[in-house]
Amino acid sequence: MSQKSLLPLAFLYAQGSSVDGATRFQKLVFLAQREGGLESKYDFHAEKFGPYSYDLADDLKYFIESGYVERKVETN
């Protein structure tokens, strides 16, 4: 895990291993960095549904593909 930040994994662990939705996860990491005084590894920009970081999305995709994080897709 050379260049990957462990912040997403730590955040999932702190949240009880579950966050409902990728958009909510992006917002929570954004707020943790901004308000929680955590290192600012991810650069966020405004999107339609809130702050978004391509680097965070890439890291999360890596953790899913590596088996560290499980992603469930539910339809309404």
Side-chain angles (χ1 to χ4, degrees), residues 25-58:
F25 186 73
Q26 288 270 348
K27 289 177 182 180
L28 291 173
V29 173
F30 170 78
L31 290 172
Q33 277 190 179
R34 186 139 207 198
E35 304 296 328
L38 298 177
E39 74 172 273
S40 295
K41 198 264 188 218
Y42 299 109
D43 293 322
F44 286 89
H45 66 276
E47 285 284 334
K48 186 175 183 179
F49 297 107
Y52 185 83
S53 168
Y54 289 105
D55 292 333
L56 175 57
D58 289 343

Side-chain angles (χ1 to χ4, degrees), residues 5 11 14 21 23 29 31 45 48 50-51 56 58 63 66 75-76:
S5 172
F11 201 78
T23 303
V29 173
L31 290 172
H45 66 276
K48 186 175 183 179
L56 175 57
D58 289 343
F63 292 132
S66 298
T75 57
N76 294 349

